[in-house]
Each structure stands twice: as C-alpha cells, then as structure tokens.
Amino acid sequence: PRHQDSDGDGIWDGVELGLTEAEASDYEPATEIEFQADLDPSTDTDPLELDTDGDGLNDGVEDLNLDGLQDVTETDPDDSDTDNDGMDDGWETTYSQLPTDPSSDEGCSDSSRFLDPLSALDAAQDLDSDGLTSLEEYLLDKIVAGERVANQTHPCETDTDGDGVNDGPEADGNYGGGASDPNNPDTDGDGLTDGEEDRDGQGDWDEWWETDPTNADSDGDELSDGLEEQQGTDPLEEDTDDDGLMDGEEVLMLDTDPLEEDSDGDGVSDGMELGRDGDQDAGSYTDPTREDTDGDCLSDGQEEAAGTLDGHWDPSSGETSPIRLDSDGDGLSDGYELGLNSDTCEPDEGRDT
C-alpha cells in the first residue's frame, strides 16, 4: 500500500487495476491520496506482474504514456500479439529498430527490413529474402533432448548463423538427416560448416560431390568429414586408397596410411595383409606396418613373388612363407638360403612363427 507502482513497470497500480478515482480508507482520506486515473477503465493489467501478457515487453514499455489507454502508436500490454499476425509484440519490437549494440544479434541493421508490431502485413513478407516469411522464422523450432524448443531465426538476416547457407534452405533442407539447423553453423559437429558441406547452398545433399551437413560421417568409414579433410582422405569414399580397409580402421585402429594402398611398401596391399582385398588365405595375416613380417630379410612381397600375389602360401610354386622365418624348417632362414649377405641383413630369429 505504500508503493504506487508495486511491480515497477512504470504504471501506477490504480491505473493497472482500472481505477478512475482513488480508494480511500479509514487511515487515509481520498483527498490526501496522490492519484492517477485510468483513462480506459474497461481494460486492466496485473499490478504485480511486470509483463502482464508475457510478450517480453514490460507493461510500461507497451503503454508508453502510462495512462491505461492504448493509443494507436502503442502495443497492448494485455495482448501478447497486438496486431494478431501470429508473432508476439516483443519479438516484433526487437526487430523494429536499429541495433543498440553492433555486436548484438538484436535489431535490424537495415530499416527497410523492420518488423512492425502494429501491422499484420509483415507476417507474410520475406523481408530478408532468405526463403522464409517473418512468421515462418518466428515459428521455427527443433527437438532437444526429446523436447520441442523454439529455434527462431533472425528475420532481418538472410543467413542467421553465417554458415553460407540461407535460413530457408536450412529450415526446409532435404539432407540425409532432414533439415539442418539455421542457428548452428555446423549442424552435425564434424568440424565443417554447413556451407562447406552443402557447397551450392540449395538445401539438399548431392552425394556425388557434397558431404552431408546432418551426418558427421558422410561415407560411414568411422572418420568424421572434418577429420577426413584434415587427413586428406575422401569423405565420400569409405576406402580412399582402395586397399580393402576403411579409412577409419587405418587411422584409428591399425596405424596404416589411408592414402597408401601398401603402407609398408612390401608389395602387398594393407587389406591383403590382414586377410582381405582378395586374400586367398584369409586366416593368415602379415603386418601391414612392417615390410618384413617374419624378420627373415625378405619383404612379404618378395616371399610371394615366385608365385601369385594372393595372400596364400604355395610352396609348390617356390614361394616362401612371409610369417615363417624358416619356411622349410631346415634351421636356416629363408633370407640366408637365398644368399642374402649377413653383413647387411641380420635375420630376426624371434620372428619365426
């Protein structure tokens, strides 16, 4: 009772309650009360609520002259959408003026794109030419942790998140995972902006030359598209070097080179060394990171050179075994038997398996 404006919105409590004359009490006669009458007693607002209609604008901001009467230049503090265009007054007001802070996302830098909370015409207009009407930008949402939340874009900016793809193509996108997020420059979090992935900015995924901005690993090789760009591998080809191993296996597990079919240079592809890529004996493996798996001073490729390079040891064709130091079991290493100079090659006796 000792405060004329209980909620601090600038409008006296009596005006908010629609009073046209002071209410006296036994302790305070009406003639001694400082009072302001409501000029429109048919309407009232909540004297205990800063923003009666919940539109993001305080009642005193909407009723600028604080008299309880809505003038033609004022929004209605009792109606969150004064012009009934589907967009609340607070949102429209934010984009009806120049930015107060150049670093802020609020406000429109171009007055020709201003919204008007007192005109319903702007709802159907695409003031920033991004492919979305103002109302569509206002109504955008997304699912976060199973909950639908607002995801409004800037109605005065063509590309809200600055990723190189306009808001419209992102919001209406037809990528592998649906639309991209017009408020997130890297929707899939792969280290590449949506614009770097959707190179033509059309809102769809051209699989033969673009990566998918809604899928961190477009080719499914266990390496993110961004990491592939760093590695120099092809983000649209799961096996860049065609050695029978996925790029992700090579980088994350095997420590082989995803850009070299034969990482150790022994003449046998990495995939064949691991039982793939045409290996005719998939149960035996050599080391794709070691040129001479069994340490007999012959490279794995040399041991198969006498026959067919197919991963299968065929003694009848003169091949030695790339996983046995002494293929014939006579106590002499394969390299020694083939006359290798012991001064330049010391067989690894511990490699005989």
Side-chain angles (χ1 to χ4, degrees), residues 17-310:
L17 290 170
L19 300 181
T20 57
E21 59 183 37
E23 292 183 343
S25 70
D26 294 338
Y27 304 99
E28 191 171 18
T31 56
E32 298 181 7
I33 299 175
E34 187 177 2
F35 177 74
Q36 179 181 348
D38 186 347
L39 298 187
D40 182 9
S42 66
T43 64
D44 57 53
T45 50
D46 189 338
L48 299 177
E49 179 62 58
L50 275 170
D51 178 12
T52 297
D53 57 11
D55 62 1
L57 298 175
N58 289 349
D59 296 343
V61 172
E62 302 206 64
D63 183 3
L64 288 172
N65 54 16
L66 313 176
D67 61 3
L69 173 67
Q70 183 192 349
D71 298 324
V72 293
T73 58
E74 294 176 333
T75 53
D76 185 348
D78 214 21
D79 183 350
S80 61
D81 181 13
T82 300
D83 56 10
N84 295 313
D85 63 359
M87 302 179 289
D88 69 56
D89 297 337
W91 195 75
E92 291 200 74
T93 298
T94 295
Y95 300 110
S96 67
Q97 54 199 343
L98 294 171
T100 55
D101 179 356
S103 64
S104 172
D105 291 332
E106 297 186 350
C108 283
S109 57
D110 182 352
S111 61
S112 68
R113 299 178 176 182
F114 281 180
L115 298 184
D116 184 353
L118 297 174
S119 171
L121 297 177
D122 53 12
Q125 295 173 338
D126 180 9
L127 298 172
D128 56 6
S129 301
D130 63 358
L132 297 173
T133 66
S134 300
L135 180 58
E136 287 172 329
E137 301 211 51
Y138 173 79
L139 294 175
L140 286 175
D141 59 20
K142 63 180 179 179
I143 303 297
V144 176
E147 297 290 332
R148 189 172 295 277
V149 298
N151 195 38
Q152 297 160 338
T153 46
H154 198 307
C156 308
E157 295 291 340
T158 303
D159 179 12
T160 297
D161 56 11
D163 61 2
V165 185
N166 290 349
D167 296 341
E170 291 214 67
D172 297 328
N174 185 31
Y175 303 110
S180 55
D181 187 344
N183 282 299
N184 183 349
D186 180 11
T187 298
D188 56 12
D190 63 359
L192 299 175
T193 65
D194 296 342
E196 289 175 311
E197 303 207 61
D198 181 4
R199 297 180 186 179
D200 61 10
Q202 296 300 306
D204 52 16
W205 177 29
D206 299 315
E207 300 179 36
W208 57 92
W209 69 290
E210 294 178 331
T211 50
D212 183 353
T214 63
N215 183 353
D217 179 14
S218 296
D219 58 9
D221 62 0
E222 305 300 330
L223 283 184
S224 72
D225 298 337
L227 186 56
E228 296 220 52
E229 290 283 345
Q230 296 175 21
Q231 293 279 340
T233 50
D234 186 343
L236 297 174
E237 174 59 59
E238 66 178 18
D239 179 12
T240 298
D241 57 10
D242 293 319
D243 62 358
L245 303 174
M246 290 199 304
D247 296 339
E249 284 183 282
E250 300 209 60
V251 173
L252 303 175
M253 300 170 58
L254 302 172
D255 200 28
T256 50
D257 188 342
L259 296 172
E260 290 289 343
E261 182 181 10
D262 178 13
S263 295
D264 56 12
D266 62 1
V268 185
S269 74
D270 297 340
M272 185 173 288
E273 296 213 55
L274 292 171
R276 288 179 249 174
D277 195 29
D279 191 343
Q280 299 302 303
D281 185 6
S284 66
Y285 309 112
T286 48
D287 187 342
T289 65
R290 180 173 174 131
E291 181 181 4
D292 177 12
T293 297
D294 57 12
D296 62 0
C297 297
L298 295 173
S299 72
D300 298 341
Q302 285 178 304
E303 304 220 47
E304 280 208 74
T308 303
L309 190 61
D310 59 6

